[in-house]
Amino acid sequence: MSGMLKRRGFILPAFEIHGGSKGLYDFGPNGGRLRNRVNQIWLDHWTSLGNVAEISCPTITPYEVLEASGHVGEFSDFMTTCISCEEVYRADTLLENDHPNPDSLSKSDLNNLLQNAQPPCPACDSNEWSPVAAQNLMFNTTIGAGKSGRDGFLRPETAQGMFTSFPSLYRHFREKLPFGAVQVGKGYRNEISPRQGMIRLREFNMAELEYFIDPEMPLDHDLAKWSEIDLNMVSESDGEVSISISAAVDAGIVRHGTVGYFIAMTYDFLIKVGIDKSRIRFRQHESNEMAHYATDCWDAEIFGSYGWVECVGIAHRGCYDLEAHEKYTGKSLRARREFASPKEVVIDGWTIDGAVAGPAFRSLAGKVKTAVENLPKATEFPCLLDIDGTAVTIEQEHVKRLQRTEVITGEWFIPHVVEPAFGIDRIIWHILDHAYHETTKQEEDYTVMKLSPNIVPVDYAVFPLFEKDGMGDIAQLLNKQLNSRLGIVSIYDSSGSIGRRYARADEIGIPHCITVDHQSVDDNTVTVRDRDTGEQKRVNIIDL
Amino acid sequence: MSGMLKRRGFILPAFEIHGGSKGLYDFGPNGGRLRNRVNQIWLDHWTSLGNVAEISCPTITPYEVLEASGHVGEFSDFMTTCISCEEVYRADTLLENDHPNPDSLSKSDLNNLLQNAQPPCPACDSNEWSPVAAQNLMFNTTIGAGKSGRDGFLRPETAQGMFTSFPSLYRHFREKLPFGAVQVGKGYRNEISPRQGMIRLREFNMAELEYFIDPEMPLDHDLAKWSEIDLNMVSESDGEVSISISAAVDAGIVRHGTVGYFIAMTYDFLIKVGIDKSRIRFRQHESNEMAHYATDCWDAEIFGSYGWVECVGIAHRGCYDLEAHEKYTGKSLRARREFASPKEVVIDGWTIDGAVAGPAFRSLAGKVKTAVENLPKATEFPCLLDIDGTAVTIEQEHVKRLQRTEVITGEWFIPHVVEPAFGIDRIIWHILDHAYHETTKQEEDYTVMKLSPNIVPVDYAVFPLFEKDGMGDIAQLLNKQLNSRLGIVSIYDSSGSIGRRYARADEIGIPHCITVDHQSVDDNTVTVRDRDTGEQKRVNIIDL
């Protein structure tokens, strides 16, 4: 298949005339539009919920943002270098024959296994390896020049720009949860040695939704629409089951209603773009496989020529991300929750005695007051407080008891996030894989791409039976008219037999081929041939 | 205006909670969809020509590609460092008060002027400057790790991926010129000290068409459609003129028909997305301002709060780009031109004498033969040839005369390229600038964004007059139904007076506000209010 995909301009190794570059691919003259249509369908799928807005953030990201998110510290693979030829490899891939699941091993376990197993170097067959080291997978660069130059990275995901945009989103949605932000764009991962074509790229197309919720709010997702659809699910507790999403949520297999709702929405999206529903399954992460902050996580896996491949991750991330940026920046990333009825709160603690503390602490007095009011009732004075990095001693004479009752109407909290993250390239690979049908016709190989009309690169092909006798002119005009319609692409093809032209059209999945023949000149009708059934209908041009 | 754009989520400094980063902007919850719609209209505008295909290439680009294109050597600004505070600046911007056009100066002229004029450092007011040095403006990174790591850059333009994709495009279009490739995506330019907000970004959205033509082919662009439209043109020879595009081409003001056609197409696009036509002009580059290989180049400039700003460049690039990659890689980037009738060519030169040269040159014999057949008739032997970097001596005995007549039916040539390149961020800035209308209403400031309905972030707003008495339910349902339509975004707003809600809707340019009132409950009609006229019509919900 990949030869055909390259020849017909769907997907090609990038910069091939310059020798190419591993992990970088082009979407060619057929793939480019297909990719765009998949992206747009994805965006419409989520924005149609009515409380989800599209945003677009830079791919270049300052060091601080990715330090706050944990990527500077954690986003790495373990690598090792061949002592003999100096080629670099991921330690876990070298050990695939020596351990059932080497990517679950710690650095020291990998190191031990590597030194014991001594796998051969794929490049030079030697088997001496350097100690295993963590290699950060972000592409780094410098923003600006000279003294004002700052470290930056190419984003490993689109998500961080959406978390740092929380204040703007909260304002946009008039401070009312739940709401979401979607973003489609490039993500980057400097793979140590990329393999598997479109499955493991250094630069990839991704699409993420960050959906912000109040964890105390009742969920009102209507799952009835999917009640008759059994999904293939592989759950941590129950293994493989075929079950509707509402039943899976009710049974606690899916641990959160919003996660369940997004599993169903993901299923709908995959069907819409032409993934074969029998080759989709949802696999729950094992508890020890999830990030420590996640409470439930499911992958949508799609079956194709690489086996089952993770193409979508749907994760309940708790308050991890907003909290991390809040801690790092000191800026509030909170939402307000009003209580159903106001609450009385008894305050029983300490405050400062302004007459004494004011002169004593001068410009720090305000901050000392806040700090003292946070001290527990049982505090004994003198005590030492850290005020903006300065140690300040608070004496008994500085403070007095504070006892009062307050009525509060609500509180600020950090929203939780449920995130469906889509690997668009992997999905497109499987769209093509599932659409690809090879048969023979008149003893020759014959390929049909049975792509969904929603995402075909070309909607129509127009063929004049011959170019003479006015047929060429009618076909040219028709082709031009079709192209002038918004969102329609049509091609004109006049070379070779009609059979050869059908074959070329089938190979890129054009749903409808229109032939202009002798009769067309007389009565303005043409034949329209259906790609999948081969049936031909005669219709008037004005009815097209 | 920029305060409003930030507050209402059109355009915001990126990563602001982390202190932001100069030259990086977010498209927020209103700007994100607007940007996407501008991009999609741009793509449809060109692909509707029928011979233009969308492609998508990586932003990470290997060193070799950008060395071949000339960017490694040429894509730079001249910078200088303040001796005292070590801040880095562009030399030309420091000299704006000392020279009418400092960005036209050579490095040594800049250096002389800088040392004479001694402008004050904007940061520390000192006036000692380091010698001027060229600073390449590409963001650099490393692809891969360790020994296999390669130098790469973030692309400065989308164009190079389209040039290197020429073989795939040529195959896709069945080897028939003219054809084009379009690409919308990120470009990067590591500005030394970015200013002017959206006008000068470090990461920007661009959209380029590379249109490949046979320079000997007659042009058949139909400019009649624009014959009644006078464009503002500033030409090298004639200065400011108001003239139709066909007249400008006929008069030779625009030097190439395809350039003229694309100027007209660019004008149409800008109108479609809502640029005010009276604030568009086309300015021809002076001969000494153009790249040496360009034969004609026009900028579309748009007038706004920064004065006239270049937003589109339309350049006839000759065969420069394909030739550069062909020379660097040795791969053919040519198209075939068949002659109207076959030509007889008399060949009178040299070839090898196989019996002698074969054993003498062994594996090189084939290449020696090609080289010898390219030698002029007047060559004297022995002579020295460079065969793949090896100096080979050709003796008289190795060669014999070759004299024959050949009939050739066509030839291979390097296509020429006409390139319209659009700065999407600059265009969006001016869309917002031209749409922004400030008035007062009841003695308060009142803002209306008169955006084209083609690119508004939100298509409808639905207001229940009150949420009680069933009005809220009807409005919620209507809002949901509108959102479920493909490509439609609607918002629900129930807070504050209807006047306040109109004001919020006007501020982000929602074309139609729908109010559900008491009568709606009885007869299923609603009022629809037009943003620009303020007129309200009563219509049945089913007719919306």
Side-chain angles (χ1 to χ4, degrees), chain B residues 431-443:
Chain B
I431 289 171
L432 296 167
D433 189 75
H434 293 186
Y436 185 77
H437 286 81
E438 235 178 6
T439 58
T440 55
K441 220 170 221 182
Q442 285 145 8
E443 287 168 36

Side-chain angles (χ1 to χ4, degrees), chain B residues 54-296:
Chain B
E54 180 184 358
I55 73 172
S56 177
C57 305
T59 59
I60 295 180
T61 308
Y63 185 94
E64 295 76 14
V65 176
L66 293 160
E67 187 178 44
S69 69
H71 284 90
V72 170
E74 301 290 337
F75 188 66
S76 48
D77 273 347
F78 293 116
M79 62 160 220
T80 179
T81 306
C82 170
I83 301 286
S84 159
C85 75
E86 294 180 14
E87 204 62 62
V88 174
Y89 294 94
R90 278 173 60 165
D92 56 352
T93 60
L94 292 173
L95 294 165
E96 274 169 358
N97 295 328
D98 304 293
H99 192 277
N101 198 12
D103 65 355
S104 69
L105 296 179
S106 70
K107 180 175 154 187
S108 68
D109 287 348
L110 276 173
N111 209 25
N112 290 338
L113 185 56
L114 185 72
Q115 306 307 340
N116 288 330
Q118 299 198 319
C121 171
C124 76
D125 226 37
S126 152
N127 45 22
E128 274 194 281
W129 295 100
S130 78
V132 171
Q135 164 88 22
N136 192 289
L137 294 174
M138 291 193 289
F139 282 96
N140 60 353
T141 192
T142 306
I143 308 170
K147 188 192 159 201
S148 58
R150 295 171 65 186
D151 286 339
F153 299 101
L154 297 182
R155 65 182 179 194
E157 58 183 19
T158 69
Q160 297 307 321
M162 299 195 268
F163 298 136
T164 59
S165 294
F166 180 78
S168 168
L169 292 163
Y170 188 56
R171 203 163 52 230
H172 178 75
F173 287 106
R174 306 185 52 67
E175 309 185 352
K176 233 181 236 166
L177 293 170
F179 58 75
V182 278
Q183 185 167 191
V184 167
K186 295 292 181 78
Y188 302 83
R189 188 182 162 109
N190 201 359
E191 295 282 351
I192 292 166
S193 39
R195 304 182 295 176
Q196 297 188 298
M198 296 283 287
I199 307 301
R200 203 159 278 286
L201 295 172
R202 283 182 165 145
E203 175 172 340
F204 42 88
N205 295 282
M206 65 189 309
E208 295 182 298
L209 162 63
E210 307 302 326
Y211 197 71
F212 299 95
I213 59 177
D214 176 349
E216 294 191 1
M217 204 162 41
L219 302 171
D220 64 345
H221 303 297
D222 183 2
L223 302 177
K225 186 180 155 196
W226 295 280
S227 62
E228 303 297 312
I229 301 170
D230 284 341
L231 304 180
N232 305 321
M233 305 193 90
V234 185
S235 86
E236 189 179 17
S237 55
D238 297 37
E240 278 201 60
V241 285
S242 179
I243 188 170
S244 76
I245 193 66
S246 43
V249 171
D250 289 344
I253 293 174
V254 175
R255 298 183 192 124
H256 191 277
T258 304
V259 172
Y261 180 54
F262 289 164
I263 286 175
M265 285 286 290
T266 296
Y267 177 81
D268 278 1
F269 167 74
L270 294 175
I271 304 297
K272 225 184 254 185
V273 294
I275 294 291
D276 173 6
K277 65 182 169 187
S278 72
R279 285 182 266 183
I280 300 171
R281 75 178 184 196
F282 292 90
R283 195 182 66 77
Q284 189 170 36
H285 282 210
E286 309 279 324
S287 297
N288 62 7
E289 180 187 2
M290 278 192 287
H292 64 90
Y293 48 79
T295 56
D296 197 10

Side-chain angles (χ1 to χ4, degrees), chain A residues 324-340:
Chain A
H325 287 287
E326 190 177 276
K327 274 190 183 155
Y328 193 96
T329 63
K331 304 278 164 58
S332 167
L333 298 175
R334 293 181 182 231
R336 174 107 184 144
R337 177 194 296 140
E338 297 301 326
F339 298 134

Side-chain angles (χ1 to χ4, degrees), chain A residues 38-52:
Chain A
V38 170
N39 283 342
Q40 296 303 320
I41 289 173
W42 188 89
L43 286 165
D44 276 327
H45 192 68
W46 297 104
T47 58
S48 72
L49 295 183
N51 65 342
V52 172

Side-chain angles (χ1 to χ4, degrees), chain A residues 7 18 20 27 36 40 43 56 59-60 85 87 140-142 144 148 150 174 188 190 203 325 495, chain B residues 7 18 20 27 36 40 43 56 59-60 87 140-142 144 147-148 150 171 174 188 190 203 325 495:
Chain A
R7 187 164 39 83
H18 286 273
F27 287 87
N36 188 343
Q40 296 303 320
L43 286 165
S56 177
T59 58
I60 296 180
C85 75
E87 203 63 61
N140 59 353
T141 192
T142 306
S148 58
R150 294 171 65 187
R174 305 184 52 68
Y188 302 83
N190 201 358
E203 175 173 340
H325 287 287
S495 69
Chain B
R7 186 164 40 81
H18 287 272
F27 288 86
N36 189 342
Q40 296 304 320
L43 286 166
S56 177
T59 59
I60 295 180
E87 204 62 62
N140 60 353
T141 192
T142 306
K147 188 192 159 201
S148 58
R150 295 171 65 186
R171 203 163 52 230
R174 306 185 52 67
Y188 302 83
N190 201 359
E203 175 172 340
H325 287 287
S495 68

